Amino acid sequence: MPEYSEKVMEHFTNPRNIGEVSEPDGIGEVGNPVCGDMMKFTIKVKDNRIEDVKYFTFGCGAAIAVSSMVSEMAKGKTLEEALKITNKQVAEELGGLPGNKMHCSNLGADALHKAITDYMEKQKVEAGSSS
Amino acid sequence: MPEYSEKVMEHFTNPRNIGEVSEPDGIGEVGNPVCGDMMKFTIKVKDNRIEDVKYFTFGCGAAIAVSSMVSEMAKGKTLEEALKITNKQVAEELGGLPGNKMHCSNLGADALHKAITDYMEKQKVEAGSSS
Amino acid sequence: MKTINLDYTAAAPVDQGVLQAMIPFFTEHYGNPSSGHALGETPRRALEEAREKVGLLIGAEGVDEKQIIFTASASEANNLALKGLVAANKKKGNHIISSSIEHFSVLNQLKSLQKEGFEVTLLPVDRHGTVDPAQLAAAITDQTILISIQTANPEIGTIQPVEKLISVAHENEIPFHTDAAAAAGWIPLDVKKTGVDMLSLAADQFYGPKGAAALFVRRGIRLRPLIEGGIQEKGLRAGTENVPAIVGLGEAARLAYQSLDERSQRVSAIRDQLKAGLFKEIPHLHLNGHPEKRLPRNLNISVEFVEGEALLMRLNMAGIYVSSGSSCTSQALKSSHVLGALGLPPELAQGSLLLSLGKESSKEDIPYITENLGQVSGLLRNMSPLYHQHLKEGNDNARVQ
Amino acid sequence: MKTINLDYTAAAPVDQGVLQAMIPFFTEHYGNPSSGHALGETPRRALEEAREKVGLLIGAEGVDEKQIIFTASASEANNLALKGLVAANKKKGNHIISSSIEHFSVLNQLKSLQKEGFEVTLLPVDRHGTVDPAQLAAAITDQTILISIQTANPEIGTIQPVEKLISVAHENEIPFHTDAAAAAGWIPLDVKKTGVDMLSLAADQFYGPKGAAALFVRRGIRLRPLIEGGIQEKGLRAGTENVPAIVGLGEAARLAYQSLDERSQRVSAIRDQLKAGLFKEIPHLHLNGHPEKRLPRNLNISVEFVEGEALLMRLNMAGIYVSSGSSCTSQALKSSHVLGALGLPPELAQGSLLLSLGKESSKEDIPYITENLGQVSGLLRNMSPLYHQHLKEGNDNARVQ
Ligand SMILES: Cc1ncc(COP(=O)(O)O)c(C=O)c1O
Ligand SMILES: Cc1ncc(COP(=O)(O)O)c(C=O)c1O
């Protein structure tokens, strides 16, 4: 077990916001079992804000803690703010990650961003079809 | 320390016949300090028998024990008998020698034989000069 | 908190009797075996006694026990065997055969040797992890100078048909090395019967100390030393002998030899019961390794839909210590090459758990283990996208066929 | 019977405090440092603490202490340093410089490397055993990729001018390794000050256990591992870490660092008094090694006209344990290459005695030693052809000039 920070251990032990929002506005999936980590983020958007965010994560302790932290950081933020959440910030909020686990923090923000862009693209399509 | 037999240790601890016979009839020197062992045997011959034999030895435990054993084995023997003393016999009489010390037993009989042939050659010379 | 070690393959406590045998050699009989005076005598004798005891464990008694070279680890023994043999036998050929599920201390050397120009064939294994003697026979060329195949695998427990493999090697007059580090002390070994040419083992796998291992080298096999210097260990391994550790190895070998049958039977009975309990209580488990021909203390399962490090951490929180073949638990961040060689899909390799028992293991712990692994698996599956996908698909087809 | 160890260079008892520090790591904290669960934590932390303690002993604290690679012996450390460096730097050149009085774990590797095509220059030493920095400078070519010169010689005690030698190496941008196995724990070492690139040491030379040694490797120096496998020790030395022994090395390093001055001063005072006593009481002795620049615990003398093994055996019978550089006491049956390199005539090399002291040595033993060595020398001289020849010649010219 790598030397995880207390914060990582706390999020790993009590991960927040597990699950799938019902009728998600955006879905972001990253990773695959080969590399050992997989995350699926679903978001609910209201008034350009992330009203709700949930995730399913297959992965190591870091991946789970990162997912949990990302969900907490994203909740309530505007889409623009949420898109600015960087992997570095996530790792920092977690009190740091062991060097060889940094790739897990990368996944977390990526999955969130993917869910947001998924939502944005759907909006465009809707906008397009309604025009 | 190699695993010396009790007999070797006994001869090493109490070597017999150290010294030089006075007015030696034959002298045999073998070895040198480079190889670590050096022996000088001197013999007194009477009626074709080794009446007395003594040695000086510079060398390891085996070399000293071998010298002592050879001197005991040779004493009282006829020259012919003494020439038949083999290195193997010396080692056997000592209850065996460690493999890497066999060269020391070689030296012992060699030095004795050298002393005997030295005596024999001197005899020849005397015989020659008296003829 | 209750703690249960299920990772005895990684490390085991040194047997008290073994430690007691070692202690005097740290302080009282501290001499150097090469010393020419009295201080060298007891240590020197102790080395030779240890050689005999190790010889007994591997069936080398009376024949070749002096051909046991002490090293500091199984890794070193394996490196001495392979690099040592090829360095001394370069002129005979440049081809080495091994298997795809060897320990890294075999595989990583072979990679280096490949870079130096040697040809390496890694035989595949079947889905249970067994090497096929016929495939070995087919792989041999006139350039083959060494075959190295493990006796048993530490991760999946599969025991190889070494006797048959050695026959194939010897029909072709090729020396055979076996890494028996995972097997020694747990299954019978007999170098006389099998005719194996070299065999590696390590004390810490059977309650001896870390830092003590051995390579059996049959007379006539030529090796070059890895560590050169003094002529300790017949010139095959320089350096002052680690007398206390070697004494510990010897004593551990003696105890293992004495109690091998009893120990193996008791431990495999617990293992079987644990396995039955787990498979009964927890759905979607997958057994890795051979169903019968496996080390008594080895159980390797994959918990479908979840990742190994997370399992390991959750179990650690419950005081249960296991290891995993997942990439996140490996320092090299690669999932187990052994599980990969079995053809296991990546998600199952990631969710693998090695549960290895020891002589301290107890049946009474089984309910606690089963309950906790059940809970932990449920919890992690509940947050697994793979599990939810599976539930949606509503199908339950086994992942491996 | 009274027994006096004067062969502490060959072996010394493990310090009680060191042993006590080790014991829990055999049984209680037996885990594998690589383990992902709680059992790995204490051992892992202990390894890093040991690294820091060794770092302190060699002046690597705060800078490079993480660059300490644990091995099982000084021989292994030396082999890793030399073979490891040349394997990783073949493209830069093929020339290695060392000295003619290195330990066999340096010299015998160099012989092997020569066979593989490397060029080796062994610098001569003066009659006190000192390497001349000017000769080092002259030996450097554009092919030189490594210089390895010991810090101090275990047999004759001579301390090399390593700082100057390292300056010469670094002016030419060549990495410098020093075998400090005989020096560590007895004279101050400071890798920061000297800038040395690699340094070998072994625990058993300063009251730590056998089986624990280390190679300091400065950041930036590229090595290839000798023992390949897992990625322990930064990938430079595969194999489960020998935690108890490493803990012992660390603790011994801490104690040695703490008491270095006191220990060295006390021991060298006894050594000087022993030397004075012997030279006063026994005629025809010859001092080997440097008159001042020598290890505190080292005294090496030649007893003219007699052979070392016989001396050793006779002293052993009196309970006095020494070693000798005579050919009969060496397993290879060659007299000491170190004494040879000093230009000592063969008969003096054959009669050499290494008297090495330890922290247990006492002034009170000096009369017993002097008396017995005097008796034994007399007895053996009395049966020595060389002595009687000397008496006959009636001359007393010193054998070495
Ligand atoms: C200078 C030096 N180098 C290397 C060694 C080899 O040590 P080991 O036998 O522990 O490998 C020694 C042993 O005393 C030594 O003094
Ligand atoms: C089969 C096998 N070979 C080699 C090794 C390497 O052992 P060590 O780390 O002690 O060198 C192990 C370790 O468990 C093993 O199981």
Side-chain angles (χ1 to χ4, degrees):
Chain A
M1 202 158 59
E3 307 286 344
Y4 284 135
S5 71
E6 263 179 52
K7 197 86 184 223
V8 169
M9 287 308 294
E10 205 269 309
H11 273 269
F12 171 72
T13 313
N14 304 298
R16 287 59 146 164
N17 306 313
I18 290 174
E20 231 169 11
V21 302
S22 64
E23 295 172 30
D25 294 323
I27 300 176
E29 276 186 285
V30 294
N32 61 61
V34 178
C35 72
D37 294 303
M38 232 181 124
M39 292 176 192
K40 181 181 179 183
F41 269 75
T42 49
I43 54 173
K44 205 80 195 155
V45 180
K46 193 173 173 186
D47 298 338
N48 201 42
R49 277 189 192 274
I50 296 182
E51 190 190 41
D52 200 5
V53 48
K54 287 185 188 288
Y55 60 86
F56 285 137
T57 293
F58 167 94
C60 66
I64 290 170
V66 161
S67 307
S68 171
M69 177 55 81
V70 167
S71 73
E72 281 212 326
M73 288 168 77
K75 208 177 228 175
K77 284 216 167 61
T78 66
L79 297 184
E80 291 69 30
E81 286 167 350
L83 278 171
K84 280 189 196 138
I85 295 172
T86 66
N87 300 313
K88 214 175 140 229
Q89 282 171 349
V90 177
E92 277 167 11
E93 285 290 322
L94 283 168
L97 280 175
N100 61 359
K101 297 287 178 173
M102 287 305 290
H103 72 103
C104 302
S105 85
N106 288 352
L107 278 184
D110 289 2
L112 173 69
H113 297 168
K114 248 189 161 175
I116 295 171
T117 49
D118 177 53
Y119 163 77
M120 287 174 160
E121 266 157 35
K122 277 183 195 151
Q123 288 298 97
K124 266 193 239 156
V125 174
E126 271 174 43
S129 62
S130 73
S131 75
Chain B
M1 202 158 55
E3 305 288 342
Y4 284 135
S5 70
E6 265 180 49
K7 197 86 184 224
V8 170
M9 288 308 294
E10 205 269 309
H11 273 268
F12 171 73
T13 313
N14 304 299
R16 288 60 148 163
N17 308 313
I18 290 173
E20 230 167 13
V21 302
S22 64
E23 293 173 32
D25 296 323
I27 300 177
E29 277 186 286
V30 294
N32 62 60
V34 179
C35 71
D37 294 303
M38 233 180 122
M39 292 175 192
K40 181 180 178 184
F41 270 75
T42 49
I43 54 173
K44 207 76 196 159
V45 180
K46 193 173 174 187
D47 299 336
N48 200 43
R49 278 190 192 274
I50 296 182
E51 190 189 41
D52 200 5
V53 48
K54 288 188 189 288
Y55 59 87
F56 285 137
T57 293
F58 167 94
C60 64
I64 289 169
V66 160
S67 307
S68 171
M69 178 55 81
V70 167
S71 73
E72 283 212 325
M73 288 168 77
K75 210 176 230 177
K77 286 218 166 58
T78 66
L79 297 185
E80 291 69 30
E81 286 167 349
L83 279 171
K84 280 190 197 136
I85 294 173
T86 64
N87 299 313
K88 213 174 139 228
Q89 283 171 349
V90 177
E92 276 166 13
E93 286 289 323
L94 282 169
L97 280 174
N100 61 358
K101 297 286 178 175
M102 289 305 289
H103 72 105
C104 301
S105 86
N106 289 352
L107 279 183
D110 289 2
L112 174 69
H113 297 169
K114 248 188 160 174
I116 297 172
T117 50
D118 177 54
Y119 164 76
M120 288 173 161
E121 266 156 36
K122 278 183 195 151
Q123 289 297 97
K124 266 193 240 156
V125 175
E126 272 175 42
S129 61
S130 71
S131 74
Chain C
M1 185 177 65
K2 191 177 181 63
T3 64
I4 300 169
N5 189 353
L6 281 174
D7 193 16
Y8 280 107
T9 294
V14 171
D15 190 284
Q16 270 300 338
V18 169
L19 181 58
Q20 291 316 314
M22 294 169 66
I23 299 265
F25 290 88
F26 287 110
T27 47
E28 190 182 346
H29 307 307
Y30 65 82
N32 188 318
S34 302
S35 284
H37 48 67
L39 297 180
E41 279 172 30
T42 305
R44 193 159 53 237
R45 240 181 292 119
L47 281 190
E48 298 319 314
E49 263 173 44
R51 250 183 264 280
E52 277 169 37
K53 289 175 180 175
V54 171
L56 209 60
L57 181 65
I58 62 170
E61 76 283 2
V63 195
D64 271 329
E65 77 266 30
K66 288 298 170 66
Q67 296 296 91
I68 285 162
I69 308 301
F70 293 124
T71 69
S73 67
S75 295
E76 186 189 343
N78 286 342
N79 276 254
L80 175 57
L82 273 62
K83 288 186 193 163
L85 186 130
V86 303
N89 293 275
K90 267 182 196 161
K91 282 177 193 149
K92 293 189 188 158
N94 74 340
H95 182 229
I96 309 161
I97 303 176
S98 187
S99 90
S100 52
I101 62 166
E102 297 298 313
H103 188 263
F104 282 124
S105 56
V106 168
L107 290 178
N108 283 348
Q109 291 187 70
L110 291 177
K111 273 191 203 156
S112 290
L113 290 170
Q114 259 176 326
K115 280 185 205 146
E116 287 177 27
F118 285 90
E119 301 274 330
V120 174
T121 303
L122 295 184
L123 297 173
V125 293
D126 67 16
R127 68 193 177 104
H128 294 142
T130 309
V131 175
D132 179 359
Q135 287 189 314
L136 171 59
I140 291 172
T141 75
D142 62 355
Q143 286 295 306
T144 310
I145 54 174
L146 176 62
I147 298 168
S148 176
I149 294 171
Q150 63 192 192
T151 300
N153 186 283
E155 186 176 345
I156 55 170
T158 302
I159 298 169
Q160 298 300 334
V162 270
E163 233 170 305
K164 281 183 202 153
L165 296 166
I166 292 167
S167 296
V168 172
H170 286 178
E171 277 160 25
N172 292 276
E173 292 177 12
I174 299 165
F176 192 100
H177 165 256
T178 192
D179 175 0
W186 292 97
I187 60 173
L189 297 174
D190 192 333
V191 302
K192 275 202 302 296
K193 201 168 111 199
T194 62
V196 73
D197 299 290
M198 295 189 281
L199 180 149
S200 308
L201 58 79
D204 61 357
Q205 292 298 310
F206 48 87
Y207 302 99
K210 296 178 175 71
L215 180 67
F216 164 80
V217 184
R218 192 170 290 279
R219 233 169 275 269
I221 295 290
R222 289 189 51 225
L223 294 185
R224 277 193 39 193
L226 210 57
I227 300 171
E228 293 175 284
I231 54 177
Q232 292 95 344
E233 301 295 311
K234 294 184 199 311
L236 283 177
R237 205 260 188 178
T240 302
E241 300 90 341
N242 186 354
V243 182
I246 292 170
V247 166
L249 164 58
E251 185 60 10
R254 191 184 70 78
L255 293 171
Y257 180 70
Q258 220 172 48
S259 57
L260 194 128
D261 290 344
E262 179 270 331
R263 210 181 259 181
S264 305
Q265 277 163 26
R266 211 175 52 75
V267 170
S268 66
I270 303 174
R271 189 264 321 268
D272 291 342
Q273 196 170 322
L274 173 62
K275 177 178 137 196
L278 292 174
F279 277 78
K280 182 159 164 275
E281 300 295 331
I282 307 172
H284 306 300
L285 294 187
H286 179 84
L287 179 72
N288 299 317
H290 202 284
E292 291 108 36
K293 288 180 188 147
R294 70 188 303 147
L295 292 172
R297 62 169 169 163
N298 177 287
L299 179 59
N300 191 309
I301 55 173
S302 285
V303 180
E304 269 195 88
F305 314 120
V306 299
E307 190 275 342
E309 193 203 71
L311 279 169
L312 191 157
M313 285 172 66
R314 282 273 172 192
L315 289 172
N316 183 56
M317 283 156 60
I320 299 173
Y321 308 129
V322 302
S323 78
S324 165
S326 83
S327 48
C328 284
T329 55
S330 96
Q331 284 175 286
L333 296 180
K334 282 189 192 146
S335 71
S336 158
H337 66 287
V338 177
L339 299 177
L342 302 181
L344 212 62
E347 65 270 30
L348 283 187
Q350 297 293 4
S352 77
L353 287 184
L354 165 55
L355 312 178
S356 58
L357 283 70
K359 64 187 171 74
E360 298 82 353
S361 299
S362 155
K363 282 192 183 177
E364 272 147 43
D365 291 334
I366 294 177
Y368 185 82
I369 300 166
T370 312
E371 188 187 326
N372 275 280
L373 183 55
Q375 267 176 22
V376 163
S377 302
L379 207 139
L380 292 171
R381 279 174 177 167
N382 208 34
M383 67 172 93
S384 164
L386 295 171
Y387 185 61
H388 288 280
Q389 189 182 321
H390 160 81
L391 289 182
K392 246 179 223 158
E393 288 167 8
N395 69 21
D396 203 343
N397 47 14
R399 306 252 140 197
V400 192
Q401 256 128 10
Chain D
M1 185 178 66
K2 192 178 178 64
T3 64
I4 300 170
N5 189 355
L6 281 174
D7 194 16
Y8 280 108
T9 294
V14 171
D15 189 283
Q16 270 300 338
V18 169
L19 181 58
Q20 291 317 314
M22 294 169 66
I23 300 265
F25 290 87
F26 287 109
T27 46
E28 191 183 347
H29 307 305
Y30 63 84
N32 188 320
S34 302
S35 284
H37 47 67
L39 296 179
E41 280 172 29
T42 305
R44 194 159 52 235
R45 237 179 295 120
L47 281 190
E48 298 320 313
E49 264 173 43
R51 249 184 264 280
E52 277 169 36
K53 289 175 180 176
V54 172
L56 208 60
L57 180 66
I58 62 170
E61 76 284 1
V63 195
D64 271 329
E65 76 266 31
K66 290 296 171 66
Q67 296 296 91
I68 285 162
I69 307 300
F70 293 123
T71 69
S73 68
S75 295
E76 187 189 342
N78 286 341
N79 276 254
L80 175 58
L82 273 63
K83 288 186 194 164
L85 186 129
V86 304
N89 295 273
K90 268 182 196 163
K91 283 177 194 149
K92 294 189 188 157
N94 74 339
H95 181 229
I96 308 162
I97 303 176
S98 188
S99 90
S100 53
I101 63 166
E102 298 297 312
H103 188 263
F104 282 124
S105 56
V106 168
L107 290 178
N108 283 349
Q109 290 188 70
L110 291 177
K111 274 191 202 156
S112 290
L113 289 170
Q114 260 175 326
K115 280 184 205 146
E116 289 176 26
F118 286 90
E119 301 275 330
V120 174
T121 302
L122 295 183
L123 298 173
V125 293
D126 67 16
R127 68 193 177 104
H128 294 143
T130 309
V131 175
D132 179 359
Q135 286 189 315
L136 171 59
I140 291 173
T141 75
D142 62 356
Q143 286 295 304
T144 310
I145 52 173
L146 176 63
I147 299 168
S148 176
I149 294 169
Q150 62 192 193
T151 300
N153 187 283
E155 187 176 345
I156 56 170
T158 302
I159 297 169
Q160 298 300 334
V162 270
E163 233 171 305
K164 281 184 202 150
L165 296 167
I166 292 167
S167 296
V168 172
H170 286 177
E171 277 158 25
N172 293 275
E173 292 176 11
I174 299 164
F176 192 99
H177 166 255
T178 192
D179 175 0
W186 292 97
I187 60 173
L189 298 174
D190 192 334
V191 301
K192 273 202 304 295
K193 201 168 110 196
T194 63
V196 73
D197 299 291
M198 294 190 280
L199 180 150
S200 308
L201 58 79
D204 61 357
Q205 291 299 310
F206 48 88
Y207 301 98
K210 296 178 176 70
L215 180 67
F216 163 80
V217 185
R218 191 169 291 277
R219 231 170 276 267
I221 296 290
R222 288 189 50 224
L223 294 185
R224 277 194 38 193
L226 210 57
I227 300 171
E228 294 175 282
I231 53 178
Q232 292 95 344
E233 300 296 311
K234 295 185 202 308
L236 283 176
R237 205 260 187 175
T240 302
E241 299 89 342
N242 186 355
V243 182
I246 292 170
V247 166
L249 165 57
E251 185 59 10
R254 191 184 70 78
L255 293 171
Y257 179 71
Q258 219 170 50
S259 56
L260 194 129
D261 292 344
E262 178 272 330
R263 209 182 260 181
S264 306
Q265 276 164 26
R266 211 174 52 76
V267 170
S268 66
I270 304 174
R271 188 265 322 268
D272 291 341
Q273 197 170 323
L274 173 62
K275 178 179 137 195
L278 292 173
F279 276 80
K280 181 160 167 274
E281 300 295 331
I282 307 171
H284 306 300
L285 293 188
H286 178 83
L287 179 71
N288 299 316
H290 202 285
E292 291 109 36
K293 287 180 190 145
R294 70 188 303 146
L295 292 173
R297 62 170 170 163
N298 177 286
L299 179 59
N300 192 309
I301 55 174
S302 285
V303 181
E304 271 195 88
F305 314 120
V306 299
E307 189 275 342
E309 193 203 70
L311 280 168
L312 190 158
M313 285 172 67
R314 282 273 171 193
L315 289 172
N316 183 57
M317 283 156 60
I320 299 172
Y321 308 130
V322 302
S323 78
S324 165
S326 84
S327 49
C328 284
T329 56
S330 96
Q331 285 174 286
L333 295 180
K334 282 189 193 145
S335 70
S336 159
H337 66 288
V338 177
L339 299 177
L342 303 180
L344 212 63
E347 64 270 30
L348 283 188
Q350 297 293 5
S352 78
L353 286 184
L354 164 56
L355 312 177
S356 58
L357 285 69
K359 63 187 170 74
E360 299 82 352
S361 298
S362 155
K363 283 192 182 176
E364 273 147 43
D365 292 334
I366 294 176
Y368 186 83
I369 300 166
T370 312
E371 188 186 327
N372 275 280
L373 183 55
Q375 268 177 21
V376 162
S377 303
L379 207 140
L380 292 171
R381 280 173 177 168
N382 207 35
M383 66 171 91
S384 164
L386 294 171
Y387 185 62
H388 289 281
Q389 190 182 318
H390 160 80
L391 290 181
K392 245 179 225 158
E393 288 166 8
N395 71 22
D396 203 343
N397 47 15
R399 305 253 139 197
V400 190
Q401 255 125 11

